[in-house]
Amino acid sequence: MHEAAMELHPPPAIFGFSGEQTSAAVNPSGDQTIEGVSFEGSQSGPFNGALSCLLLLLSSFSHCQAQLSPTFYDKTCPNALNIIRTAIRQAVSRERRMAASLLRLHFHDCFVQGCDASILLDESPTIESEKTALPNLASARGYDVIESVKLELEKACPGIVSCADVLTVAARDATAAVGGLSWTVKLGRRDSTTASRTIAGTDLPSPFANLDTLISSFASKGLNTRDMVALSGAHTLGQAQCFLFRDRIYGNRTDIDAGFANTRRRRCPKDTGNGNLAPLDVVTPNSFDNNYYKNLLQKKGLLQSDQVLFSGGATDSIVSEYARSPQAFQADFASAMIKMSEIQPLTGQNGIIRKVCGALN
């Protein structure tokens, strides 16, 4: 979750779910796709469903009108998903590390004001860019990839596909491009007209966080402990800067393998080399698999916030399960990504569709 300042920086009571539960089920066709299924209350018939929507309409007109849907662009930009998928595959093919960068960009977007593409906005007289917040400064990357995808979408269907949706789908496609499952993404997010450097500086979990802090931080975004452990598995990809793990490898701690610490010291001196990079998963740093969890069992978590997941606490059993079962990890990761991607989206008449992701129209 930290590249440079975490390649993937994962991670409100529940923002944007409206009592809705999102579950994930493996597509029975075996096509390696996770489909998000929503359950809202009881299994009512068409009349009751329409009546419920009418009642909600009286108090919240936009709620019934502006739900996210996987078919949102089917008529207005039918080739949108193909355009995004092709561009992301090409970007990851050029640089495998880009998969981790795009995942991290999506995480950092959703944890600040919800999934609204606020992280993509450049500094301006009216915008305090999140790009210069400490967790993103000189570490968040992939902005150019998102802009290039948006450019192609604007050629195909101007003013239709939001940057927030591009970023959400890009994270899914980047995961699939390096060996992860795919999953169904609900679409229809709109783009913010604001950004918050302050929230970006406070709401993104620290690489030095203890377990209770991580659990609380994720819970504040509507993500439970299992979601947190699954999303942390994104650290099977990417790299972290030396200054983020220096204390861990030089601290003579009991929660780190001595040989692993010695190896990491070679590229991370005590007093220099703050920006030197090390892979978060030393075994398969460019493949989306469950080796991250196997590393934790061996006390080879690079960051403090990694190893605390397996340190005699409440999440040990989940880490052990994911280390044993790559299928369980992949399915839970997809489910957690679906939940995260639906944190506080702007829909309906809220927000805008930016023409360029880095600027307001």
Side-chain angles (χ1 to χ4, degrees), residues 61-306:
F61 178 78
S62 65
H63 180 79
C64 291
Q65 190 184 43
Q67 294 299 303
L68 301 177
S69 165
T71 61
F72 189 84
Y73 298 116
D74 280 9
K75 293 182 179 179
T76 55
C77 193
N79 203 34
L81 293 180
N82 287 331
I83 291 172
I84 298 171
R85 184 184 303 111
T86 298
I88 296 306
R89 285 177 176 173
Q90 290 174 348
V92 173
S93 178
R94 288 191 300 269
E95 184 192 11
R96 194 87 168 169
R97 176 187 171 197
M98 187 54 66
S101 299
L102 293 173
L103 266 170
R104 182 178 185 241
L105 207 56
H106 179 46
F107 285 150
H108 281 215
D109 181 40
C110 290
F111 296 154
V112 180
Q113 300 188 170
C115 306
D116 62 358
S118 60
I119 194 172
L120 303 178
L121 285 170
D122 292 321
E123 193 81 12
S124 77
T126 59
I127 297 293
E128 287 193 345
S129 178
E130 294 168 22
K131 294 181 179 182
T132 54
L134 189 58
N136 298 324
L137 184 64
S139 65
R141 55 198 300 274
Y143 301 112
D144 55 334
V145 173
I146 299 301
E147 288 288 9
S148 67
V149 175
K150 177 62 172 173
L151 182 62
E152 292 305 310
L153 288 166
E154 286 298 301
K155 292 176 184 176
C157 28
I160 299 297
V161 182
S162 70
C163 298
D165 276 344
V166 172
L167 192 49
T168 303
V169 175
R172 187 270 309 271
D173 291 346
T175 302
V178 291
L181 290 180
S182 187
W183 56 86
T184 299
V185 173
K186 293 181 184 178
L187 304 165
R189 295 164 194 78
R190 289 168 67 84
D191 300 324
S192 70
T193 56
T194 63
S196 179
R197 183 186 301 148
T198 300
I199 297 175
T202 59
D203 279 22
L204 294 167
S206 166
F208 309 107
N210 62 34
L211 183 59
D212 287 344
T213 300
L214 289 173
I215 290 172
S216 175
S217 177
F218 277 71
S220 75
K221 304 297 182 184
L223 299 167
N224 62 36
T225 301
R226 193 173 182 90
D227 296 328
M228 183 269 288
V229 178
L231 290 172
S232 295
H235 280 187
T236 189
L237 303 170
Q239 304 178 75
Q241 291 187 61
C242 168
F243 78 95
L244 295 173
F245 58 86
R246 179 182 282 121
D247 288 349
R248 178 161 161 72
I249 62 174
Y250 285 101
N252 295 317
R253 306 161 61 109
T254 60
D255 65 346
I256 187 168
D257 177 84
F260 174 74
N262 284 333
T263 301
R264 296 276 67 86
R265 289 171 189 163
R266 294 173 193 168
R267 289 273 301 151
C268 185
K270 270 190 174 182
D271 302 312
T272 61
N274 279 353
N276 291 356
L277 297 174
L280 289 157
D281 171 8
V282 70
V283 182
T284 52
N286 292 312
S287 296
F288 197 89
D289 55 30
N290 69 330
N291 275 325
Y292 167 79
Y293 300 102
K294 294 178 182 179
N295 295 338
L296 297 185
L297 298 186
Q298 300 171 37
K299 298 184 179 181
K300 295 180 180 179
L302 185 62
L303 301 173
Q304 167 75 12
S305 58
D306 292 326

